Amino acid sequence: MNGYMANKDDLLKRLKRTEGQVRGIARMVDEDKYCIDILTQVSAATRALEAVALSLLGDHLTHCVAEASAEGGPVAAEKIREANEAIARLVRS
């Protein structure tokens, strides 16, 4: 079972809302709206996706990594490596 299963409905709601924001941004570009207004919406969509990413990361740490740590050995080392790489990708973006 994935660590985010308890939050799946919330994640899907957030993602659908973000999808709507992105469609709205495309519409704004199509309608030649003011650049700063479009950038403001891009920033809001970016923050929304970051919130989803942080939620997934938190679920991964508290479920998958914690479970693997209890097992120990190479499984734990692999989950920690995966988490570190995911955090590095988030920080770079």
Side-chain angles (χ1 to χ4, degrees):
M1 182 167 99
N2 293 313
Y4 62 82
M5 293 306 289
N7 298 325
K8 185 175 179 178
D9 290 339
D10 181 54
L11 288 171
L12 288 171
K13 284 179 195 173
R14 287 176 179 226
L15 288 168
K16 287 178 184 180
R17 194 175 320 123
T18 305
E19 181 182 10
Q21 285 179 297
V22 172
R23 278 194 308 266
I25 293 166
R27 190 171 35 255
M28 290 175 78
V29 171
D30 186 51
E31 295 172 357
D32 299 320
K33 298 294 182 182
Y34 185 57
C35 299
I36 297 300
D37 294 340
I38 296 170
L39 288 170
T40 299
Q41 293 307 310
V42 168
S43 178
T46 300
R47 284 192 308 275
L49 283 174
E50 287 171 348
V52 168
L54 289 173
S55 176
L56 286 167
L57 180 61
D59 290 340
H60 181 68
L61 291 172
T62 58
H63 180 264
C64 302
V65 174
E67 196 173 276
S69 293
E71 282 182 40
V75 172
E78 174 64 14
K79 292 295 180 188
I80 291 170
R81 184 193 61 74
E82 286 176 348
N84 280 328
E85 289 177 0
I87 291 166
R89 284 191 302 271
L90 287 171
V91 170
R92 282 192 298 263
S93 61

